[in-house]
Amino acid sequence: MFVRLIRVEVSMHALSLESSVSCTHAHLSNQPRDLQLDAICRIAATLFGVRYAYVSRLNKDCQSFLGSEGLSLSSTPRSDAVCALTVLGDPHAPLVILDTLEDRRVADNPYVTGSPHLRFYAGVPISLGDYTTDRATVCVADTAPRAVFSKEDQERLSDFAVFIEAALRGRIAHHRTHRAQQQAVESERRFRLLADSANDVFVLGDLDMRRTYVSAAVRRTLGYDPEELIGVRASDMIHPDDAYIFEEYWTQVRAGIHERPTCCVRYRHKGGHYVWIEASIGLLDDEGAGTPSGYVAILRDVSARREAEDQVRHMALHDALTGLPNRALFRDRLNQAIAHAARTQSPFAVLACDLDRFKAIKDSLGHPAGDALLREVAQRMRAVLRPYDTVARLGGDEFAIVLAYLDDACAAACLADRLIAAVGAPVHLDGQIVEVGVSVGFTIATERDRDADELFKRADMALYEAKAGGRNTHRVFCPDVGARIATRGQLVLDMKEGIRRGEFRLVYQPVVDAASGAVVSLEALMRWRHPVRGEVSPGEFIPLAEENGLIVPLGAWALREACREALTWPETLRVGVNVSAVQFRGGLEEAVLSALADTGLPACRLKLEVTESVLMQDGDAVVACLHRLRSLGVLVALDDFGTGYSSLSYLRRFPFDKIKIDRSFIRDIADPDAAAIVRAVVSIGERLGMGIVAEGVETAEQLELVRREGCAQVQGFLFSRPLSPLDARAYIMAAQAQH
């Protein structure tokens, strides 16, 4: 019989608590607990998914708790007992209150409005003897209301109550009557029906963990027939990695420690895979002996819940777009690397990475293309790293890397080179080929380094140096880098003040006819005389202005100033103005139109000079803008030709008015290879109808050679250095006088 199998006993003293406990001290009691009934209540709480489960007995004054889960009460006044409503109903007929605050019968009950805050209640009346005088209840309750407590749930609670009623009657009567034995047999039958119809798996077993009964739900949960698991130990089916969890839990159950109501481990399915199971186990006492003789367990498949929890944990620690670790996980891996270095005295490296030209590509092709590019970059970075290294996306186009177990500092530099090469390879996006670079700053950490923030700050400072050094390169942290960055930061502040005070000026370098020496145009060049440092090199302040967006107001000023100055020259002369990629993104088209309108200079006398790097960074958007400006009459020249990667392809995509051959080719024009390149460019320019300008002509020999190769126009120190506006006008007048 099931009642005999579980051998649960409660003394008559425990069953008569109502006669010895004062209802005015409901929260305090030195009476011993009925641990067996508590175990059954724990099973009921798990079965119905509630916080509280209890068995109570009522007399005319008091309600006493024979067993409970979750409650610290031993008794209450009958006038405050919700169960007093339950016993008014028919035997075994559940009373269900889905929301106590919505039921006027109990809404003001002190145990509803106060601790333990009962919001949901379901109770079944049972009898321990004569139903008219000896009444008890089996109840489940929770702190949150429910929308529904189904008919099936009510039937299960009723069956559970019948089982407890039979068990308690059996205890009281000590199985002296045939009726009690019949009820016990019936309760076992009902329990098995309840167990076999439930979604959870019910298990009975001995203290060696061998199963003596398994409910039919095990077929659906683990794929076995119940008979296949009889005699099998639970530990034989648990994943090896979870064995210690289960052993610890079983030890606590055996010792009567209830710190954890359940444990979650992986059970082997008959199909060979593992299923996450939440197990709740209670001990069964031997009849009359007071010692455990076995256990009862409820097993629930929680694989779907665990999968959702794992997904939430993964989302909390990984970037949704690329799947890389996010900032939180990167910080954890960095702390692990610091701890490992302290133990093993082995160095590691921290890298800060920032993509070059990413914003221009995203703005040109759209956000979906930008996302696809980030995913491709993430994949390439992962492919370069070792399995035990960490690459994380911190946000936008920022990435960070922890390189563990470095043999020497050179290994970090070598990996940075491989990263730059891998990321810089062409990428196919939406039928187009784009190129994105990466700047890398890194620092080498040793066992003396303990501060994760300081390490990343050092890598970030090195990254700043890499970007200032031309991008698509790497730099290692040096102790004096902080001073250099501070100096650059101060220079940016000084530039802002310099713009306000009008410290910037333009100088003009003539472009002359190679054959006659007549001036055909002048190139406007920006200069800055710092009030303390004196003349600041354009190679120093122009990149800073581009990084901080100051080139936009500076560029707009340069356009207006150059157009205004060109009005003082002969009408046949043009003025060339250099423009950067940042200006295209900051409204170059509007700045050009405004300069022409404000000064009245004809559009055909303005020549915009763009480099190949500008075209590479902004692609189609830049070309489209240049087409619109050219349609207004503005001339466009390709400056520093030959220093980029896609010169010939851009000559095909845009009909430049001029091609300016970079000074590096002119400097070496005596070399046959350099001369051949110049000759080829001249040939291409003639075929495409583009004029050729040779930059950097400094000697008569170079002039003779560029003439021989067919360059029609030249520019360089041989003719003139950049001149102030006044000197430029004088130069023009002198040249005109000679011709």
Side-chain angles (χ1 to χ4, degrees):
M1 288 174 46
F2 181 68
V3 173
R4 191 152 42 82
L5 283 172
I6 64 172
R7 295 181 174 91
V8 180
E9 253 188 72
V10 178
S11 67
M12 293 301 294
H13 172 70
L15 289 176
S16 60
L17 282 176
E18 72 274 18
S19 63
S20 59
V21 178
S22 171
C23 292
T24 60
H25 298 84
H27 293 276
L28 299 172
S29 175
N30 295 322
Q31 294 295 334
R33 300 290 299 180
D34 186 334
L35 298 180
Q36 291 74 39
L37 270 182
D38 286 351
I40 292 176
C41 288
R42 281 196 298 277
I43 292 173
T46 301
L47 179 62
F48 294 97
V50 295
R51 183 171 179 178
Y52 308 119
Y54 52 93
V55 179
S56 71
R57 190 174 187 182
L58 292 95
N59 64 16
K60 64 178 181 177
D61 297 317
C62 288
Q63 172 185 238
S64 58
F65 296 91
L66 307 181
S68 68
E69 168 61 16
L71 289 176
S72 60
L73 301 172
S74 61
S75 67
T76 69
R78 180 179 178 123
S79 59
D80 293 336
V82 179
C83 294
L85 295 174
T86 304
V87 297
L88 297 177
D90 295 330
H92 310 144
L95 170 67
V96 178
I97 303 177
L98 297 177
D99 189 344
T100 55
L101 292 180
E102 299 296 326
D103 192 313
R104 62 183 181 180
R105 295 175 296 175
V106 295
D108 296 328
N109 188 286
Y111 297 107
V112 172
T113 59
S115 180
H117 300 286
L118 304 180
R119 288 293 303 278
F120 162 75
Y121 170 90
V124 176
I126 61 174
S127 172
L128 303 181
D130 181 358
Y131 186 79
T132 60
T133 59
D134 200 1
R135 299 177 183 177
T137 60
V138 176
C139 310
V140 293
D142 211 339
T143 56
R146 288 197 177 184
V148 65
F149 190 69
S150 68
K151 181 179 179 181
E152 290 77 12
D153 287 334
Q154 295 182 41
E155 290 176 354
R156 289 176 182 174
L157 182 60
S158 180
D159 287 346
F160 206 86
V162 170
F163 161 67
I164 293 176
E165 178 185 70
L168 292 177
R169 287 191 176 206
R171 296 179 188 182
I172 296 171
H174 291 288
H175 309 292
R176 287 180 298 185
T177 65
H178 178 70
R179 178 179 174 79
Q181 292 177 357
Q182 287 283 330
Q183 287 179 331
V185 170
E186 179 64 14
S187 76
E188 179 180 2
R189 185 187 70 81
R190 290 193 176 213
F191 179 80
R192 288 182 181 271
L193 287 174
L194 171 66
D196 288 343
S197 63
N199 291 326
D200 299 334
V201 180
F202 284 76
V203 177
L204 296 174
D206 59 27
L207 293 181
D208 290 330
M209 295 300 291
R210 292 187 182 87
R211 298 180 176 93
T212 58
Y213 165 77
V214 181
S215 68
V218 76
R219 294 189 182 96
R220 181 173 54 255
T221 303
L222 295 174
Y224 296 94
D225 288 328
E227 296 76 15
E228 295 180 82
L229 299 181
I230 301 301
V232 177
R233 289 184 174 89
S235 57
D236 294 337
M237 299 181 64
I238 292 175
H239 194 287
D241 293 344
D242 297 344
Y244 77 97
I245 299 175
F246 186 79
E247 288 297 329
E248 179 183 329
Y249 178 65
W250 176 240
T251 300
Q252 290 181 356
V253 171
R254 289 292 306 270
I257 301 172
H258 305 299
E259 293 180 356
R260 292 186 299 170
T262 63
C263 77
C264 194
V265 291
R266 285 166 289 183
Y267 273 65
R268 186 180 66 252
H269 192 276
K270 188 173 183 178
H273 60 281
Y274 283 88
V275 176
W276 280 104
I277 294 293
E278 185 179 76
S280 176
I281 302 177
L283 291 179
L284 303 174
D285 276 1
D286 194 1
E287 184 178 355
T291 58
S293 62
Y295 72 89
V296 58
I298 297 176
L299 309 181
R300 175 174 295 171
D301 183 352
V302 292
S303 299
R305 188 187 77 192
R306 283 299 298 245
E307 183 178 350
E309 291 172 350
D310 290 344
Q311 185 176 2
V312 170
R313 280 192 292 269
H314 185 274
M315 291 173 62
L317 296 174
H318 290 79
D319 173 50
L321 177 64
T322 63
L324 294 179
N326 62 11
R327 189 181 295 272
L329 184 53
F330 171 78
R331 180 61 178 261
D332 180 70
R333 298 281 174 83
L334 180 53
N335 286 330
Q336 290 181 31
I338 292 172
H340 182 268
R343 291 193 308 270
T344 62
Q345 287 75 53
S346 59
F348 68 96
V350 182
L351 286 71
C353 309
D354 194 63
L355 299 186
D356 303 324
R357 301 187 297 278
F358 171 74
K359 185 178 185 301
I361 293 173
K362 184 182 71 173
D363 291 346
S364 175
L365 301 182
H367 285 279
D371 290 347
L373 180 57
L374 287 173
R375 285 191 290 267
E376 176 64 22
V377 167
Q379 185 175 343
R380 293 182 181 187
M381 286 184 168
R382 268 193 297 246
V384 170
L385 298 180
R386 301 164 297 180
Y388 43 81
D389 295 327
T390 298
V391 54
R393 182 184 176 217
L394 304 185
D397 60 349
E398 299 177 47
F399 297 82
I401 297 172
V402 175
L403 296 181
Y405 316 116
L406 286 182
D407 295 330
D408 53 60
C410 295
C414 292
L415 184 128
D417 284 330
R418 294 200 301 273
L419 273 175
I420 291 171
V423 173
V427 181
H428 294 265
L429 287 179
D430 295 335
Q432 300 190 50
I433 298 178
V434 300
E435 294 179 4
V436 64
V438 62
S439 298
V440 181
F442 67 92
T443 185
I444 305 299
T446 68
E447 70 275 6
R448 295 185 299 276
D449 293 303
R450 295 288 190 273
D451 191 329
D453 289 333
E454 177 62 27
L455 283 173
F456 189 75
K457 179 181 177 182
R458 281 159 40 181
D460 206 38
M461 293 169 72
L463 171 63
Y464 189 87
E465 288 283 284
K467 294 171 77 70
R471 303 173 182 261
N472 209 37
T473 185
H474 64 78
R475 293 288 186 272
V476 63
F477 172 80
C478 298
D480 62 345
V481 68
R484 292 199 301 272
I485 291 176
T487 300
R488 290 168 63 85
Q490 183 59 49
L491 195 59
V492 171
L493 296 176
D494 292 346
M495 287 177 65
K496 293 179 180 179
E497 186 64 18
I499 294 173
R500 188 183 67 81
R501 292 196 303 232
E503 293 173 358
F504 291 86
R505 69 187 191 282
L506 293 182
V507 294
Y508 301 89
Q509 187 174 33
V511 178
V512 303
D513 183 272
S516 65
V519 179
V520 294
S521 66
L522 291 94
E523 179 181 1
L525 302 168
M526 193 176 298
R527 295 292 184 264
W528 179 28
R529 182 177 290 109
H530 191 279
V532 177
R533 295 179 53 178
E535 289 291 339
V536 181
S537 167
E540 184 176 2
F541 75 78
I542 293 294
L544 266 182
E546 290 179 333
E547 285 181 24
N548 294 276
L550 295 177
I551 196 66
V552 174
L554 273 175
W557 166 82
L559 280 166
R560 288 194 306 273
E561 183 66 16
C563 290
R564 186 190 62 78
E565 180 63 25
L567 285 174
T568 67
W569 306 337
E571 294 182 356
T572 57
L573 299 185
R574 298 185 176 92
V575 62
V577 181
N578 294 284
V579 293
S580 75
V582 180
Q583 288 174 265
F584 279 91
R585 296 194 293 270
L588 174 67
E589 196 169 351
E590 292 79 0
V592 170
L593 294 175
S594 176
L596 293 174
D598 291 347
T599 62
L601 183 74
C604 61
R605 294 187 61 192
L606 175 62
K607 178 174 60 177
L608 300 180
E609 300 189 7
V610 299
T611 63
E612 297 170 54
S613 60
V614 171
L615 294 166
M616 290 174 62
Q617 290 186 42
D618 291 279
D620 293 342
V622 170
V623 171
C625 177
L626 291 177
H627 272 295
R628 290 192 296 271
L629 290 172
R630 197 167 185 269
S631 68
L632 298 175
V634 176
L635 278 68
V636 181
L638 180 58
D639 198 11
D640 299 336
F641 181 82
T643 59
Y645 301 96
S646 309
S647 306
L648 296 179
S649 66
Y650 282 112
L651 291 182
R652 255 183 5 151
R653 293 179 63 190
F654 187 82
F656 293 97
D657 298 286
K658 297 288 183 183
I659 300 175
K660 301 183 75 172
I661 302 176
D662 187 68
R663 64 185 66 247
S664 62
F665 294 100
I666 306 306
R667 182 180 60 245
D668 300 328
I669 196 169
D671 180 88
D673 291 337
I677 293 174
V678 172
R679 192 179 313 121
V681 173
V682 171
S683 176
I684 292 171
E686 290 176 348
R687 181 178 295 273
L688 297 177
M690 302 176 186
I692 304 298
V693 180
E695 294 185 293
V697 176
E698 299 182 357
T699 67
E701 180 186 9
Q702 290 173 346
L703 176 60
E704 180 59 30
L705 290 173
V706 298
R707 282 173 176 168
R708 185 185 306 169
E709 299 303 339
C711 294
Q713 298 177 2
V714 293
Q715 179 181 358
F717 289 173
L718 178 63
F719 298 93
S720 174
R721 290 181 175 274
L723 303 169
S724 68
L726 186 61
D727 292 339
R729 289 185 221 124
Y731 184 93
I732 294 169
M733 292 176 63
Q736 281 186 325
Q738 294 177 4
H739 299 86

